[in-house]
Amino acid sequence: MKQLTVLITGASEGLGKSFAIESAKRGLGLVLVSLPNSGLEHLANYLRVNFNSKVFCIEIDLTENTSASEIFEKLRVNKINVNVLINNAGLGNWSWFEDKNVDFYRTQIELNITNTVLLTRLFLNHIDKSTASYILNVGSLGGHFIVPKKQVYGATKSFIGYFTRCLQLELSGTNVHISLLSPGGINTKPELLIMNNELKGFAKATILEADYVAKTAMDGMLKGKKEIIPGFANRFLVVLDKIIPGFLKEIIIRRKLRAILTT
């Protein structure tokens, strides 16, 4: 595995940071991509010192029209070949549709959808298809379910799921292995940790730590799994969703909506 070099977007914090640390533990070369002034070099130095990792940093705003092309041009100029792509960068929210403005949704769609599609397309041009390469697209369980207050986010993750499954069919029989990661809630920020700690019972069981998700995802990706759903509770939810009739799911969702409105 030491011959593998991984490009990780959104690498400076949260799940992306956990992906970077997990990759370093496995001896992979690293290309870390994140916003300027997001602490990327600090993380890179930590990985160099603690894991003797080779790390190349690219600080760039992925919502810019030319960002995907600029990343692969930097790789070309610096003669860096990547053969693993982790499309992790994304923008979430928990709000009613009318509470966010047009610019927010434009940014969310650009980052969650457009960026993933363009980076994947350029990656396929970049790799040597005679050897094994890997793509891990970070989706969400929100892409499986209708979740109030996650309307656009969930729709972008549904797109990622559809996009990934199509590519899996198109590239079947090749050396390009494509996996979809569909996690539930992840403790990635202090405010999420506080909110998730208030959950009880089964809902709390669906929340996982970022380092566990990253390890599970990379294990699955390198084994060529088509979809990776970390955590037994989350896998159970997906199975349950396939069994419950549509009208019953709508009743449950409407009850959930009423509960949110009264809080």
Side-chain angles (χ1 to χ4, degrees), residues 210-250:
D211 55 353
Y212 171 81
V213 174
K215 182 181 185 306
T216 302
M218 295 199 71
D219 285 343
M221 176 191 73
L222 294 170
K223 291 176 182 176
K225 289 187 70 173
K226 292 187 180 298
E227 184 170 15
I228 303 152
I229 304 173
F232 172 80
N234 291 318
R235 290 192 293 274
F236 177 75
L237 278 177
V238 173
V239 172
L240 200 63
D241 180 62
K242 294 176 181 177
I243 297 172
I244 297 176
F247 77 92
L248 190 55
K249 283 190 282 189
E250 184 173 340

mmCIF file of all heavy atoms in Angstrom, residues 210-250:
data_model
loop_
_atom_site.group_PDB
_atom_site.id
_atom_site.type_symbol
_atom_site.label_atom_id
_atom_site.label_comp_id
_atom_site.label_asym_id
_atom_site.label_seq_id
_atom_site.Cartn_x
_atom_site.Cartn_y
_atom_site.Cartn_z
ATOM 1 N N ALA A 210 -15.459 10.300 14.184
ATOM 2 C CA ALA A 210 -14.879 10.477 12.845
ATOM 3 C C ALA A 210 -13.744 9.498 12.561
ATOM 4 O O ALA A 210 -13.619 9.005 11.432
ATOM 5 C CB ALA A 210 -14.386 11.915 12.687
ATOM 6 N N ASP A 211 -12.919 9.196 13.559
ATOM 7 C CA ASP A 211 -11.799 8.288 13.309
ATOM 8 C C ASP A 211 -12.276 6.874 12.988
ATOM 9 O O ASP A 211 -11.703 6.181 12.133
ATOM 10 C CB ASP A 211 -10.805 8.282 14.478
ATOM 11 C CG ASP A 211 -11.462 7.957 15.815
ATOM 12 O OD1 ASP A 211 -12.706 7.862 15.875
ATOM 13 O OD2 ASP A 211 -10.729 7.797 16.804
ATOM 14 N N TYR A 212 -13.369 6.441 13.643
ATOM 15 C CA TYR A 212 -13.947 5.123 13.351
ATOM 16 C C TYR A 212 -14.522 5.086 11.934
ATOM 17 O O TYR A 212 -14.319 4.107 11.193
ATOM 18 C CB TYR A 212 -15.045 4.789 14.367
ATOM 19 C CG TYR A 212 -15.838 3.548 14.011
ATOM 20 C CD1 TYR A 212 -15.341 2.286 14.293
ATOM 21 C CD2 TYR A 212 -17.079 3.654 13.383
ATOM 22 C CE1 TYR A 212 -16.061 1.143 13.954
ATOM 23 C CE2 TYR A 212 -17.805 2.519 13.041
ATOM 24 C CZ TYR A 212 -17.291 1.271 13.330
ATOM 25 O OH TYR A 212 -17.994 0.139 12.980
ATOM 26 N N VAL A 213 -15.223 6.147 11.548
ATOM 27 C CA VAL A 213 -15.797 6.214 10.208
ATOM 28 C C VAL A 213 -14.708 6.193 9.151
ATOM 29 O O VAL A 213 -14.811 5.484 8.135
ATOM 30 C CB VAL A 213 -16.676 7.480 10.052
ATOM 31 C CG1 VAL A 213 -17.160 7.630 8.604
ATOM 32 C CG2 VAL A 213 -17.871 7.417 11.001
ATOM 33 N N ALA A 214 -13.642 6.950 9.369
ATOM 34 C CA ALA A 214 -12.538 7.001 8.401
ATOM 35 C C ALA A 214 -11.885 5.633 8.232
ATOM 36 O O ALA A 214 -11.609 5.197 7.107
ATOM 37 C CB ALA A 214 -11.503 8.036 8.838
ATOM 38 N N LYS A 215 -11.626 4.953 9.347
ATOM 39 C CA LYS A 215 -10.999 3.624 9.276
ATOM 40 C C LYS A 215 -11.907 2.628 8.564
ATOM 41 O O LYS A 215 -11.466 1.881 7.680
ATOM 42 C CB LYS A 215 -10.672 3.111 10.679
ATOM 43 C CG LYS A 215 -9.961 1.755 10.678
ATOM 44 C CD LYS A 215 -9.666 1.277 12.084
ATOM 45 C CE LYS A 215 -8.852 -0.019 12.050
ATOM 46 N NZ LYS A 215 -9.479 -1.082 11.245
ATOM 47 N N THR A 216 -13.186 2.621 8.932
ATOM 48 C CA THR A 216 -14.146 1.708 8.304
ATOM 49 C C THR A 216 -14.269 1.985 6.813
ATOM 50 O O THR A 216 -14.320 1.062 5.989
ATOM 51 C CB THR A 216 -15.524 1.854 8.976
ATOM 52 O OG1 THR A 216 -15.406 1.591 10.377
ATOM 53 C CG2 THR A 216 -16.535 0.889 8.366
ATOM 54 N N ALA A 217 -14.287 3.273 6.465
ATOM 55 C CA ALA A 217 -14.425 3.664 5.058
ATOM 56 C C ALA A 217 -13.222 3.222 4.240
ATOM 57 O O ALA A 217 -13.372 2.688 3.129
ATOM 58 C CB ALA A 217 -14.607 5.171 4.954
ATOM 59 N N MET A 218 -12.025 3.431 4.773
ATOM 60 C CA MET A 218 -10.828 3.063 4.014
ATOM 61 C C MET A 218 -10.666 1.553 3.914
ATOM 62 O O MET A 218 -10.227 1.042 2.880
ATOM 63 C CB MET A 218 -9.602 3.722 4.634
ATOM 64 C CG MET A 218 -9.646 5.247 4.521
ATOM 65 S SD MET A 218 -8.057 6.040 4.723
ATOM 66 C CE MET A 218 -7.235 5.561 3.208
ATOM 67 N N ASP A 219 -11.031 0.829 4.962
ATOM 68 C CA ASP A 219 -11.024 -0.637 4.887
ATOM 69 C C ASP A 219 -11.946 -1.104 3.762
ATOM 70 O O ASP A 219 -11.570 -1.945 2.937
ATOM 71 C CB ASP A 219 -11.500 -1.248 6.209
ATOM 72 C CG ASP A 219 -10.453 -1.180 7.309
ATOM 73 O OD1 ASP A 219 -9.270 -0.964 6.995
ATOM 74 O OD2 ASP A 219 -10.833 -1.337 8.489
ATOM 75 N N GLY A 220 -13.151 -0.545 3.728
ATOM 76 C CA GLY A 220 -14.124 -0.935 2.707
ATOM 77 C C GLY A 220 -13.692 -0.536 1.311
ATOM 78 O O GLY A 220 -13.853 -1.307 0.358
ATOM 79 N N MET A 221 -13.160 0.678 1.169
ATOM 80 C CA MET A 221 -12.711 1.164 -0.134
ATOM 81 C C MET A 221 -11.627 0.258 -0.714
ATOM 82 O O MET A 221 -11.693 -0.143 -1.889
ATOM 83 C CB MET A 221 -12.182 2.583 0.002
ATOM 84 C CG MET A 221 -11.598 3.161 -1.275
ATOM 85 S SD MET A 221 -10.707 4.718 -1.011
ATOM 86 C CE MET A 221 -9.211 4.107 -0.186
ATOM 87 N N LEU A 222 -10.626 -0.085 0.106
ATOM 88 C CA LEU A 222 -9.516 -0.902 -0.381
ATOM 89 C C LEU A 222 -9.925 -2.345 -0.660
ATOM 90 O O LEU A 222 -9.238 -3.061 -1.381
ATOM 91 C CB LEU A 222 -8.354 -0.854 0.620
ATOM 92 C CG LEU A 222 -7.704 0.531 0.748
ATOM 93 C CD1 LEU A 222 -6.740 0.566 1.927
ATOM 94 C CD2 LEU A 222 -6.976 0.917 -0.540
ATOM 95 N N LYS A 223 -11.069 -2.755 -0.101
ATOM 96 C CA LYS A 223 -11.621 -4.081 -0.414
ATOM 97 C C LYS A 223 -12.564 -4.033 -1.613
ATOM 98 O O LYS A 223 -13.091 -5.055 -2.029
ATOM 99 C CB LYS A 223 -12.370 -4.637 0.803
ATOM 100 C CG LYS A 223 -11.462 -5.007 1.969
ATOM 101 C CD LYS A 223 -12.288 -5.452 3.177
ATOM 102 C CE LYS A 223 -11.395 -5.778 4.356
ATOM 103 N NZ LYS A 223 -12.187 -6.110 5.574
ATOM 104 N N GLY A 224 -12.801 -2.830 -2.140
ATOM 105 C CA GLY A 224 -13.665 -2.684 -3.305
ATOM 106 C C GLY A 224 -15.146 -2.726 -3.006
ATOM 107 O O GLY A 224 -15.963 -2.990 -3.909
ATOM 108 N N LYS A 225 -15.547 -2.420 -1.768
ATOM 109 C CA LYS A 225 -16.973 -2.423 -1.427
ATOM 110 C C LYS A 225 -17.685 -1.295 -2.160
ATOM 111 O O LYS A 225 -17.184 -0.185 -2.259
ATOM 112 C CB LYS A 225 -17.154 -2.261 0.084
ATOM 113 C CG LYS A 225 -16.734 -3.473 0.898
ATOM 114 C CD LYS A 225 -17.105 -3.319 2.364
ATOM 115 C CE LYS A 225 -18.603 -3.388 2.569
ATOM 116 N NZ LYS A 225 -18.964 -3.400 4.019
ATOM 117 N N LYS A 226 -18.876 -1.579 -2.653
ATOM 118 C CA LYS A 226 -19.620 -0.583 -3.420
ATOM 119 C C LYS A 226 -20.231 0.489 -2.520
ATOM 120 O O LYS A 226 -20.227 1.672 -2.870
ATOM 121 C CB LYS A 226 -20.692 -1.265 -4.264
ATOM 122 C CG LYS A 226 -20.118 -2.118 -5.383
ATOM 123 C CD LYS A 226 -21.206 -2.636 -6.296
ATOM 124 C CE LYS A 226 -20.628 -3.495 -7.411
ATOM 125 N NZ LYS A 226 -19.712 -2.731 -8.267
ATOM 126 N N GLU A 227 -20.806 0.094 -1.391
ATOM 127 C CA GLU A 227 -21.328 1.072 -0.441
ATOM 128 C C GLU A 227 -20.894 0.691 0.958
ATOM 129 O O GLU A 227 -20.982 -0.473 1.352
ATOM 130 C CB GLU A 227 -22.854 1.184 -0.501
ATOM 131 C CG GLU A 227 -23.382 2.269 0.424
ATOM 132 C CD GLU A 227 -24.862 2.589 0.237
ATOM 133 O OE1 GLU A 227 -25.563 1.773 -0.418
ATOM 134 O OE2 GLU A 227 -25.302 3.641 0.735
ATOM 135 N N ILE A 228 -20.444 1.679 1.700
ATOM 136 C CA ILE A 228 -19.938 1.473 3.050
ATOM 137 C C ILE A 228 -20.835 2.256 4.007
ATOM 138 O O ILE A 228 -20.933 3.484 3.915
ATOM 139 C CB ILE A 228 -18.479 1.957 3.179
ATOM 140 C CG1 ILE A 228 -17.585 1.242 2.144
ATOM 141 C CG2 ILE A 228 -17.956 1.746 4.589
ATOM 142 C CD1 ILE A 228 -16.393 2.038 1.714
ATOM 143 N N ILE A 229 -21.509 1.539 4.909
ATOM 144 C CA ILE A 229 -22.374 2.172 5.903
ATOM 145 C C ILE A 229 -21.822 1.818 7.281
ATOM 146 O O ILE A 229 -22.062 0.720 7.782
ATOM 147 C CB ILE A 229 -23.837 1.712 5.764
ATOM 148 C CG1 ILE A 229 -24.355 1.974 4.346
ATOM 149 C CG2 ILE A 229 -24.727 2.411 6.799
ATOM 150 C CD1 ILE A 229 -25.730 1.401 4.077
ATOM 151 N N PRO A 230 -21.064 2.715 7.897
ATOM 152 C CA PRO A 230 -20.464 2.396 9.199
ATOM 153 C C PRO A 230 -21.516 2.307 10.302
ATOM 154 O O PRO A 230 -22.460 3.096 10.348
ATOM 155 C CB PRO A 230 -19.529 3.590 9.458
ATOM 156 C CG PRO A 230 -19.355 4.270 8.138
ATOM 157 C CD PRO A 230 -20.639 4.031 7.407
ATOM 158 N N GLY A 231 -21.349 1.334 11.187
ATOM 159 C CA GLY A 231 -22.216 1.208 12.349
ATOM 160 C C GLY A 231 -23.411 0.311 12.113
ATOM 161 O O GLY A 231 -24.130 0.480 11.128
ATOM 162 N N PHE A 232 -23.631 -0.638 13.043
ATOM 163 C CA PHE A 232 -24.742 -1.586 12.905
ATOM 164 C C PHE A 232 -26.089 -0.869 12.878
ATOM 165 O O PHE A 232 -26.970 -1.197 12.081
ATOM 166 C CB PHE A 232 -24.720 -2.597 14.062
ATOM 167 C CG PHE A 232 -25.936 -3.475 14.103
ATOM 168 C CD1 PHE A 232 -26.052 -4.569 13.258
ATOM 169 C CD2 PHE A 232 -26.997 -3.192 14.970
ATOM 170 C CE1 PHE A 232 -27.178 -5.368 13.280
ATOM 171 C CE2 PHE A 232 -28.134 -3.990 14.999
ATOM 172 C CZ PHE A 232 -28.223 -5.082 14.156
ATOM 173 N N ALA A 233 -26.261 0.136 13.750
ATOM 174 C CA ALA A 233 -27.549 0.838 13.832
ATOM 175 C C ALA A 233 -27.896 1.507 12.508
ATOM 176 O O ALA A 233 -29.056 1.491 12.077
ATOM 177 C CB ALA A 233 -27.502 1.873 14.955
ATOM 178 N N ASN A 234 -26.907 2.076 11.850
ATOM 179 C CA ASN A 234 -27.148 2.739 10.572
ATOM 180 C C ASN A 234 -27.487 1.735 9.474
ATOM 181 O O ASN A 234 -28.357 1.988 8.639
ATOM 182 C CB ASN A 234 -25.928 3.569 10.178
ATOM 183 C CG ASN A 234 -25.732 4.767 11.089
ATOM 184 O OD1 ASN A 234 -26.682 5.442 11.441
ATOM 185 N ND2 ASN A 234 -24.509 5.022 11.487
ATOM 186 N N ARG A 235 -26.809 0.597 9.477
ATOM 187 C CA ARG A 235 -27.118 -0.443 8.485
ATOM 188 C C ARG A 235 -28.529 -0.981 8.714
ATOM 189 O O ARG A 235 -29.260 -1.261 7.760
ATOM 190 C CB ARG A 235 -26.078 -1.571 8.555
ATOM 191 C CG ARG A 235 -24.709 -1.156 8.057
ATOM 192 C CD ARG A 235 -23.789 -2.351 7.851
ATOM 193 N NE ARG A 235 -23.455 -3.007 9.096
ATOM 194 C CZ ARG A 235 -22.451 -2.654 9.907
ATOM 195 N NH1 ARG A 235 -21.692 -1.606 9.587
ATOM 196 N NH2 ARG A 235 -22.188 -3.315 11.016
ATOM 197 N N PHE A 236 -28.914 -1.105 9.970
ATOM 198 C CA PHE A 236 -30.266 -1.568 10.303
ATOM 199 C C PHE A 236 -31.317 -0.585 9.792
ATOM 200 O O PHE A 236 -32.359 -0.996 9.274
ATOM 201 C CB PHE A 236 -30.387 -1.747 11.820
ATOM 202 C CG PHE A 236 -31.756 -2.158 12.275
ATOM 203 C CD1 PHE A 236 -32.197 -3.462 12.089
ATOM 204 C CD2 PHE A 236 -32.613 -1.250 12.877
ATOM 205 C CE1 PHE A 236 -33.465 -3.852 12.498
ATOM 206 C CE2 PHE A 236 -33.877 -1.625 13.293
ATOM 207 C CZ PHE A 236 -34.308 -2.930 13.103
ATOM 208 N N LEU A 237 -31.050 0.712 9.905
ATOM 209 C CA LEU A 237 -31.984 1.729 9.421
ATOM 210 C C LEU A 237 -32.216 1.615 7.921
ATOM 211 O O LEU A 237 -33.340 1.773 7.445
ATOM 212 C CB LEU A 237 -31.452 3.130 9.753
ATOM 213 C CG LEU A 237 -31.693 3.657 11.157
ATOM 214 C CD1 LEU A 237 -31.029 5.010 11.324
ATOM 215 C CD2 LEU A 237 -33.180 3.746 11.466
ATOM 216 N N VAL A 238 -31.149 1.338 7.186
ATOM 217 C CA VAL A 238 -31.273 1.216 5.732
ATOM 218 C C VAL A 238 -32.116 0.000 5.365
ATOM 219 O O VAL A 238 -32.964 0.064 4.466
ATOM 220 C CB VAL A 238 -29.875 1.126 5.073
ATOM 221 C CG1 VAL A 238 -29.996 0.814 3.582
ATOM 222 C CG2 VAL A 238 -29.115 2.433 5.269
ATOM 223 N N VAL A 239 -31.895 -1.111 6.066
ATOM 224 C CA VAL A 239 -32.703 -2.318 5.831
ATOM 225 C C VAL A 239 -34.170 -2.048 6.174
ATOM 226 O O VAL A 239 -35.080 -2.414 5.426
ATOM 227 C CB VAL A 239 -32.170 -3.498 6.671
ATOM 228 C CG1 VAL A 239 -33.119 -4.690 6.577
ATOM 229 C CG2 VAL A 239 -30.776 -3.902 6.196
ATOM 230 N N LEU A 240 -34.396 -1.369 7.290
ATOM 231 C CA LEU A 240 -35.744 -1.040 7.731
ATOM 232 C C LEU A 240 -36.456 -0.158 6.713
ATOM 233 O O LEU A 240 -37.646 -0.329 6.439
ATOM 234 C CB LEU A 240 -35.680 -0.328 9.086
ATOM 235 C CG LEU A 240 -36.950 -0.320 9.948
ATOM 236 C CD1 LEU A 240 -37.340 -1.750 10.334
ATOM 237 C CD2 LEU A 240 -36.729 0.525 11.191
ATOM 238 N N ASP A 241 -35.729 0.770 6.128
ATOM 239 C CA ASP A 241 -36.307 1.681 5.136
ATOM 240 C C ASP A 241 -36.836 0.922 3.922
ATOM 241 O O ASP A 241 -37.825 1.325 3.308
ATOM 242 C CB ASP A 241 -35.247 2.698 4.703
ATOM 243 C CG ASP A 241 -35.769 3.672 3.668
ATOM 244 O OD1 ASP A 241 -36.716 4.417 3.983
ATOM 245 O OD2 ASP A 241 -35.241 3.680 2.535
ATOM 246 N N LYS A 242 -36.178 -0.174 3.582
ATOM 247 C CA LYS A 242 -36.601 -0.968 2.426
ATOM 248 C C LYS A 242 -37.844 -1.802 2.726
ATOM 249 O O LYS A 242 -38.554 -2.221 1.816
ATOM 250 C CB LYS A 242 -35.457 -1.877 1.970
ATOM 251 C CG LYS A 242 -34.248 -1.103 1.427
ATOM 252 C CD LYS A 242 -33.101 -2.037 1.089
ATOM 253 C CE LYS A 242 -31.900 -1.254 0.564
ATOM 254 N NZ LYS A 242 -30.733 -2.120 0.300
ATOM 255 N N ILE A 243 -38.078 -2.048 4.024
ATOM 256 C CA ILE A 243 -39.196 -2.906 4.424
ATOM 257 C C ILE A 243 -40.468 -2.104 4.681
ATOM 258 O O ILE A 243 -41.570 -2.524 4.303
ATOM 259 C CB ILE A 243 -38.818 -3.703 5.704
ATOM 260 C CG1 ILE A 243 -37.631 -4.635 5.404
ATOM 261 C CG2 ILE A 243 -40.007 -4.495 6.227
ATOM 262 C CD1 ILE A 243 -37.070 -5.315 6.628
ATOM 263 N N ILE A 244 -40.331 -0.933 5.301
ATOM 264 C CA ILE A 244 -41.502 -0.137 5.701
ATOM 265 C C ILE A 244 -42.209 0.423 4.468
ATOM 266 O O ILE A 244 -41.566 1.010 3.595
ATOM 267 C CB ILE A 244 -41.072 1.016 6.636
ATOM 268 C CG1 ILE A 244 -40.475 0.461 7.925
ATOM 269 C CG2 ILE A 244 -42.260 1.924 6.964
ATOM 270 C CD1 ILE A 244 -39.939 1.529 8.852
ATOM 271 N N PRO A 245 -43.517 0.287 4.376
ATOM 272 C CA PRO A 245 -44.270 0.843 3.235
ATOM 273 C C PRO A 245 -44.148 2.371 3.173
ATOM 274 O O PRO A 245 -43.972 3.033 4.201
ATOM 275 C CB PRO A 245 -45.718 0.431 3.534
ATOM 276 C CG PRO A 245 -45.616 -0.683 4.518
ATOM 277 C CD PRO A 245 -44.385 -0.451 5.315
ATOM 278 N N GLY A 246 -44.285 2.903 1.984
ATOM 279 C CA GLY A 246 -44.120 4.335 1.762
ATOM 280 C C GLY A 246 -45.063 5.189 2.580
ATOM 281 O O GLY A 246 -44.664 6.219 3.138
ATOM 282 N N PHE A 247 -46.358 4.772 2.675
ATOM 283 C CA PHE A 247 -47.334 5.590 3.402
ATOM 284 C C PHE A 247 -46.989 5.665 4.885
ATOM 285 O O PHE A 247 -47.191 6.692 5.540
ATOM 286 C CB PHE A 247 -48.752 5.020 3.213
ATOM 287 C CG PHE A 247 -49.063 3.802 4.045
ATOM 288 C CD1 PHE A 247 -49.646 3.919 5.308
ATOM 289 C CD2 PHE A 247 -48.767 2.525 3.561
ATOM 290 C CE1 PHE A 247 -49.934 2.795 6.067
ATOM 291 C CE2 PHE A 247 -49.038 1.404 4.318
ATOM 292 C CZ PHE A 247 -49.631 1.534 5.573
ATOM 293 N N LEU A 248 -46.427 4.576 5.434
ATOM 294 C CA LEU A 248 -46.056 4.558 6.848
ATOM 295 C C LEU A 248 -44.853 5.463 7.100
ATOM 296 O O LEU A 248 -44.788 6.168 8.113
ATOM 297 C CB LEU A 248 -45.757 3.123 7.282
ATOM 298 C CG LEU A 248 -45.573 2.871 8.790
ATOM 299 C CD1 LEU A 248 -46.786 3.365 9.565
ATOM 300 C CD2 LEU A 248 -45.329 1.396 9.040
ATOM 301 N N LYS A 249 -43.906 5.456 6.150
ATOM 302 C CA LYS A 249 -42.746 6.343 6.284
ATOM 303 C C LYS A 249 -43.180 7.806 6.258
ATOM 304 O O LYS A 249 -42.649 8.632 6.990
ATOM 305 C CB LYS A 249 -41.739 6.065 5.158
ATOM 306 C CG LYS A 249 -40.926 4.814 5.375
ATOM 307 C CD LYS A 249 -39.785 4.683 4.389
ATOM 308 C CE LYS A 249 -40.272 4.213 3.054
ATOM 309 N NZ LYS A 249 -39.149 3.873 2.140
ATOM 310 N N GLU A 250 -44.192 8.103 5.439
ATOM 311 C CA GLU A 250 -44.673 9.488 5.359
ATOM 312 C C GLU A 250 -45.318 9.911 6.683
ATOM 313 O O GLU A 250 -45.130 11.042 7.141
ATOM 314 C CB GLU A 250 -45.681 9.638 4.217
ATOM 315 C CG GLU A 250 -46.131 11.081 4.021
ATOM 316 C CD GLU A 250 -46.988 11.264 2.791
ATOM 317 O OE1 GLU A 250 -46.936 10.399 1.894
ATOM 318 O OE2 GLU A 250 -47.708 12.270 2.727
#
